[in-house]
Amino acid sequence: MPEGRGSRIDSDNPDGFAGLRPGVIRAPGKQPERLRAGADLLDQAAAADDKAAGRFAEARVESTPFGISPQARELAARWAAALAAREADARVLGDATSDLAGRLRMAAESTRSTGFRGRIAVAP
């Protein structure tokens, strides 16, 4: 793949991303600020997930009937189930994103007080 102006590929880095190497802190004094900024972005993503979940819930409640035939009722039931599943997925994703933002904030505080230089472990 060519390395263009906007490329994140770095042939000198075995991990493949320019400037991103696990466990290496390039500017120790700025690390807490970067972690807090990342946590803020994750909070924004969690809010977007919550908003999406709300929209899925609204769509499920406000769906128009598909008709009175057995096929239409089956289609409506499948549609409602799909919307409910997407709503649940969005809520789980929002919760996990919010939890990760909290971990980043805790890591930002621990770097300031203890000189933490390790990696943040994230559960799958």
Side-chain angles (χ1 to χ4, degrees):
M1 181 178 279
E3 294 184 41
R5 185 174 143 196
S7 175
R8 295 176 58 108
I9 305 298
D10 183 4
S11 60
D12 295 333
N13 186 347
D15 297 324
F17 295 100
L20 301 176
R21 295 189 57 195
V24 176
I25 298 174
R26 300 211 183 256
K30 294 191 179 216
Q31 191 68 13
E33 291 81 19
R34 291 178 65 197
L35 290 172
R36 279 190 288 279
D40 290 343
L41 292 173
L42 286 170
D43 282 337
Q44 291 174 12
D49 292 333
D50 290 341
K51 187 175 181 179
R55 286 186 178 169
F56 284 124
E58 288 174 13
R60 191 166 36 104
V61 171
E62 297 175 2
S63 291
T64 58
F66 287 82
I68 59 170
S69 71
Q71 295 88 355
R73 279 185 261 150
E74 181 182 346
L75 179 61
R78 287 183 182 190
W79 180 252
L83 288 171
R86 295 301 72 81
E87 176 189 357
D89 290 345
R91 292 201 189 281
V92 167
L93 181 60
D95 290 345
T97 304
S98 183
D99 289 347
L100 183 56
R103 288 180 182 211
L104 284 177
R105 282 200 175 77
M106 289 188 316
E109 291 303 315
S110 70
T111 61
R112 188 182 316 154
S113 61
T114 64
F116 174 79
R117 298 264 191 250
R119 292 176 53 177
I120 299 171
V122 179

